[in-house]
Short mmCIF file of all heavy atoms in Angstrom, two decimals:
data_model
loop_
_atom_site.label_atom_id
_atom_site.label_comp_id
_atom_site.label_asym_id
_atom_site.label_seq_id
_atom_site.Cartn_x
_atom_site.Cartn_y
_atom_site.Cartn_z
N GLU A 1 0.79 -1.22 -0.04
CA GLU A 1 -0.08 0.01 0.00
C GLU A 1 0.85 1.31 -0.01
O GLU A 1 1.74 1.41 0.81
CB GLU A 1 -0.94 0.05 1.22
CG GLU A 1 -2.17 -0.82 1.01
CD GLU A 1 -3.07 -0.75 2.21
OE1 GLU A 1 -2.89 0.04 3.12
OE2 GLU A 1 -4.11 -1.52 2.22
N THR A 2 0.52 2.14 -0.94
CA THR A 2 1.12 3.48 -0.90
C THR A 2 0.44 4.36 0.15
O THR A 2 -0.60 4.02 0.68
CB THR A 2 0.85 4.17 -2.26
OG1 THR A 2 -0.51 4.31 -2.51
CG2 THR A 2 1.44 3.25 -3.44
N PRO A 3 1.08 5.44 0.50
CA PRO A 3 0.49 6.42 1.46
C PRO A 3 -0.98 6.83 1.01
O PRO A 3 -1.85 6.91 1.92
CB PRO A 3 1.41 7.58 1.38
CG PRO A 3 2.79 6.99 1.08
CD PRO A 3 2.48 5.92 0.12
N GLU A 4 -1.25 7.00 -0.20
CA GLU A 4 -2.49 7.37 -0.70
C GLU A 4 -3.54 6.32 -0.42
O GLU A 4 -4.69 6.66 0.01
CB GLU A 4 -2.51 7.61 -2.23
CG GLU A 4 -1.66 8.85 -2.64
CD GLU A 4 -0.14 8.68 -2.52
OE1 GLU A 4 0.37 7.51 -2.55
OE2 GLU A 4 0.56 9.68 -2.28
N VAL A 5 -3.20 5.07 -0.53
CA VAL A 5 -4.17 3.98 -0.33
C VAL A 5 -4.51 3.84 1.14
O VAL A 5 -5.61 3.84 1.58
CB VAL A 5 -3.62 2.66 -0.85
CG1 VAL A 5 -4.52 1.56 -0.49
CG2 VAL A 5 -3.50 2.84 -2.41
N THR A 6 -3.39 3.77 2.00
CA THR A 6 -3.60 3.59 3.50
C THR A 6 -4.38 4.78 4.01
O THR A 6 -5.27 4.65 4.79
CB THR A 6 -2.27 3.47 4.14
OG1 THR A 6 -1.51 2.35 3.54
CG2 THR A 6 -2.39 3.18 5.62
N SER A 7 -4.00 6.00 3.59
CA SER A 7 -4.66 7.16 4.09
C SER A 7 -6.23 7.21 3.70
O SER A 7 -7.08 7.64 4.47
CB SER A 7 -3.97 8.45 3.73
OG SER A 7 -4.00 8.63 2.32
N ARG A 8 -6.48 6.82 2.50
CA ARG A 8 -7.83 6.73 2.02
C ARG A 8 -8.67 5.84 2.93
O ARG A 8 -9.81 6.13 3.29
CB ARG A 8 -7.95 6.36 0.63
CG ARG A 8 -9.39 6.16 0.05
CD ARG A 8 -9.41 5.84 -1.43
NE ARG A 8 -8.66 4.73 -1.75
CZ ARG A 8 -9.07 3.42 -1.50
NH1 ARG A 8 -10.27 3.14 -0.97
NH2 ARG A 8 -8.34 2.40 -1.86
N LEU A 9 -8.07 4.63 3.22
CA LEU A 9 -8.87 3.67 4.05
C LEU A 9 -9.04 4.16 5.47
O LEU A 9 -10.16 4.02 5.96
CB LEU A 9 -8.17 2.31 4.00
CG LEU A 9 -8.05 1.65 2.74
CD1 LEU A 9 -7.03 0.47 2.70
CD2 LEU A 9 -9.44 0.99 2.34
N LEU A 10 -8.07 4.80 6.05
CA LEU A 10 -8.25 5.31 7.44
C LEU A 10 -9.15 6.53 7.41
O LEU A 10 -9.89 6.80 8.34
CB LEU A 10 -6.87 5.63 8.00
CG LEU A 10 -6.05 4.42 8.41
CD1 LEU A 10 -4.66 4.83 8.82
CD2 LEU A 10 -6.73 3.64 9.52
N HIS A 11 -9.18 7.29 6.31
CA HIS A 11 -10.11 8.32 6.27
C HIS A 11 -11.58 7.83 6.27
O HIS A 11 -12.44 8.42 6.95
CB HIS A 11 -9.99 9.18 4.99
CG HIS A 11 -11.07 10.14 4.72
ND1 HIS A 11 -12.12 9.92 3.91
CD2 HIS A 11 -11.28 11.48 5.21
CE1 HIS A 11 -12.92 10.89 3.86
NE2 HIS A 11 -12.44 11.80 4.77
N GLU A 12 -11.78 6.68 5.61
CA GLU A 12 -13.12 6.04 5.61
C GLU A 12 -13.49 5.67 7.06
O GLU A 12 -14.70 5.82 7.47
CB GLU A 12 -13.11 4.83 4.73
CG GLU A 12 -13.05 5.16 3.28
CD GLU A 12 -12.91 3.89 2.31
OE1 GLU A 12 -13.03 2.87 2.84
OE2 GLU A 12 -12.70 4.15 1.13
N PHE A 13 -12.55 5.10 7.87
CA PHE A 13 -12.75 4.78 9.25
C PHE A 13 -13.22 6.00 10.02
O PHE A 13 -14.12 6.05 10.85
CB PHE A 13 -11.56 4.18 9.90
CG PHE A 13 -11.15 2.82 9.36
CD1 PHE A 13 -10.02 2.20 9.82
CD2 PHE A 13 -11.96 2.12 8.44
CE1 PHE A 13 -9.67 0.97 9.30
CE2 PHE A 13 -11.59 0.93 7.88
CZ PHE A 13 -10.40 0.31 8.41
N ALA A 14 -12.45 7.10 9.73
CA ALA A 14 -12.73 8.36 10.51
C ALA A 14 -14.05 8.96 10.12
O ALA A 14 -14.86 9.38 11.05
CB ALA A 14 -11.59 9.32 10.18
N ALA A 15 -14.42 8.86 8.83
CA ALA A 15 -15.64 9.39 8.31
C ALA A 15 -16.86 8.62 8.93
O ALA A 15 -17.91 9.13 9.08
CB ALA A 15 -15.74 9.44 6.82
N GLU A 16 -16.66 7.36 9.20
CA GLU A 16 -17.63 6.46 9.71
C GLU A 16 -17.80 6.63 11.25
O GLU A 16 -18.68 6.05 11.84
CB GLU A 16 -17.27 5.01 9.38
CG GLU A 16 -18.44 4.02 9.62
CD GLU A 16 -18.05 2.58 9.15
OE1 GLU A 16 -17.19 2.53 8.26
OE2 GLU A 16 -18.55 1.54 9.73
N GLY A 17 -16.90 7.38 11.85
CA GLY A 17 -16.96 7.64 13.32
C GLY A 17 -16.52 6.56 14.12
O GLY A 17 -16.98 6.29 15.24
N LEU A 18 -15.41 5.83 13.64
CA LEU A 18 -14.99 4.64 14.36
C LEU A 18 -13.71 4.88 15.14
O LEU A 18 -13.41 4.10 16.03
CB LEU A 18 -14.56 3.51 13.27
CG LEU A 18 -15.72 2.97 12.48
CD1 LEU A 18 -15.15 1.99 11.41
CD2 LEU A 18 -16.70 2.21 13.43
N VAL A 19 -13.02 5.93 14.93
CA VAL A 19 -11.62 6.05 15.47
C VAL A 19 -11.30 7.37 16.20
O VAL A 19 -11.94 8.53 15.95
CB VAL A 19 -10.52 5.83 14.42
CG1 VAL A 19 -10.57 4.41 13.91
CG2 VAL A 19 -10.78 6.81 13.22
N ASN A 20 -10.38 7.34 17.16
CA ASN A 20 -9.92 8.52 17.82
C ASN A 20 -8.38 8.70 17.64
O ASN A 20 -7.87 9.76 17.81
CB ASN A 20 -10.22 8.46 19.33
CG ASN A 20 -11.61 8.28 19.63
OD1 ASN A 20 -12.14 7.20 19.85
ND2 ASN A 20 -12.36 9.43 19.61
N ILE A 21 -7.67 7.55 17.40
CA ILE A 21 -6.19 7.56 17.22
C ILE A 21 -5.97 6.67 16.02
O ILE A 21 -6.43 5.56 15.85
CB ILE A 21 -5.47 6.95 18.36
CG1 ILE A 21 -5.77 7.69 19.67
CG2 ILE A 21 -3.98 6.98 18.11
CD1 ILE A 21 -5.26 7.02 20.95
N VAL A 22 -5.18 7.21 15.05
CA VAL A 22 -4.82 6.47 13.80
C VAL A 22 -3.29 6.60 13.52
O VAL A 22 -2.66 7.61 13.87
CB VAL A 22 -5.60 6.88 12.55
CG1 VAL A 22 -7.10 6.47 12.71
CG2 VAL A 22 -5.46 8.38 12.26
N GLY A 23 -2.76 5.57 12.91
CA GLY A 23 -1.35 5.60 12.57
C GLY A 23 -1.02 4.43 11.70
O GLY A 23 -2.00 3.84 11.04
N GLY A 24 0.15 4.01 11.67
CA GLY A 24 0.56 2.90 10.87
C GLY A 24 1.39 1.83 11.49
O GLY A 24 2.19 2.19 12.53
N CYS A 25 1.33 0.60 11.03
CA CYS A 25 2.17 -0.43 11.56
C CYS A 25 3.14 -0.90 10.42
O CYS A 25 3.63 -0.05 9.69
CB CYS A 25 1.30 -1.61 12.10
SG CYS A 25 2.09 -2.63 13.36
N CYS A 26 3.35 -2.16 10.29
CA CYS A 26 4.43 -2.66 9.34
C CYS A 26 4.16 -2.11 7.94
O CYS A 26 3.13 -2.13 7.44
CB CYS A 26 4.33 -4.21 9.26
SG CYS A 26 4.48 -5.00 10.86
N GLY A 27 5.33 -1.70 7.35
CA GLY A 27 5.30 -1.20 6.02
C GLY A 27 4.93 0.30 5.94
O GLY A 27 5.06 0.86 4.78
N THR A 28 4.63 0.94 6.96
CA THR A 28 4.28 2.33 6.90
C THR A 28 5.50 3.27 7.26
O THR A 28 6.40 2.84 8.00
CB THR A 28 3.20 2.78 7.89
OG1 THR A 28 3.47 2.42 9.18
CG2 THR A 28 1.87 2.04 7.43
N THR A 29 5.57 4.38 6.66
CA THR A 29 6.68 5.31 6.76
C THR A 29 6.15 6.74 7.11
O THR A 29 4.96 6.97 7.15
CB THR A 29 7.34 5.39 5.39
OG1 THR A 29 6.38 6.00 4.45
CG2 THR A 29 7.68 4.01 4.81
N PRO A 30 7.04 7.68 7.30
CA PRO A 30 6.64 9.07 7.53
C PRO A 30 5.68 9.54 6.36
O PRO A 30 4.84 10.42 6.69
CB PRO A 30 7.95 9.83 7.61
CG PRO A 30 8.86 8.88 8.17
CD PRO A 30 8.51 7.56 7.51
N GLU A 31 5.96 9.13 5.16
CA GLU A 31 5.05 9.49 4.06
C GLU A 31 3.66 9.08 4.25
O GLU A 31 2.61 9.76 4.02
CB GLU A 31 5.59 9.03 2.74
CG GLU A 31 6.91 9.68 2.32
CD GLU A 31 8.14 9.18 3.07
OE1 GLU A 31 8.04 8.08 3.65
OE2 GLU A 31 9.18 9.86 2.99
N HIS A 32 3.51 7.82 4.73
CA HIS A 32 2.19 7.33 5.14
C HIS A 32 1.51 8.09 6.27
O HIS A 32 0.34 8.52 6.17
CB HIS A 32 2.29 5.79 5.58
CG HIS A 32 2.58 4.90 4.52
ND1 HIS A 32 3.81 4.65 4.00
CD2 HIS A 32 1.69 4.06 3.83
CE1 HIS A 32 3.72 3.70 3.07
NE2 HIS A 32 2.50 3.31 2.94
N ILE A 33 2.31 8.38 7.29
CA ILE A 33 1.80 9.15 8.47
C ILE A 33 1.31 10.54 8.08
O ILE A 33 0.29 11.01 8.45
CB ILE A 33 2.74 9.21 9.57
CG1 ILE A 33 3.11 7.80 10.04
CG2 ILE A 33 2.28 10.04 10.72
CD1 ILE A 33 1.87 6.92 10.39
#
């Protein structure tokens, strides 16, 4: 996943009202964050 893909998916979680803290695990970089 590129930063664009990961961020789009986490945006969907946020828009759905699911999250308060988001970030990245394996494979993510400062560009992803």
Side-chain angles (χ1 to χ4, degrees):
E1 282 184 5
T2 63
E4 292 71 28
V5 173
T6 304
S7 62
R8 174 178 55 78
L9 292 167
L10 285 173
H11 172 262
E12 291 175 5
F13 293 174
E16 195 176 331
L18 295 176
V19 290
N20 302 98
I21 303 170
V22 292
C25 203
C26 305
T28 59
T29 65
E31 292 77 17
H32 287 79
I33 297 309

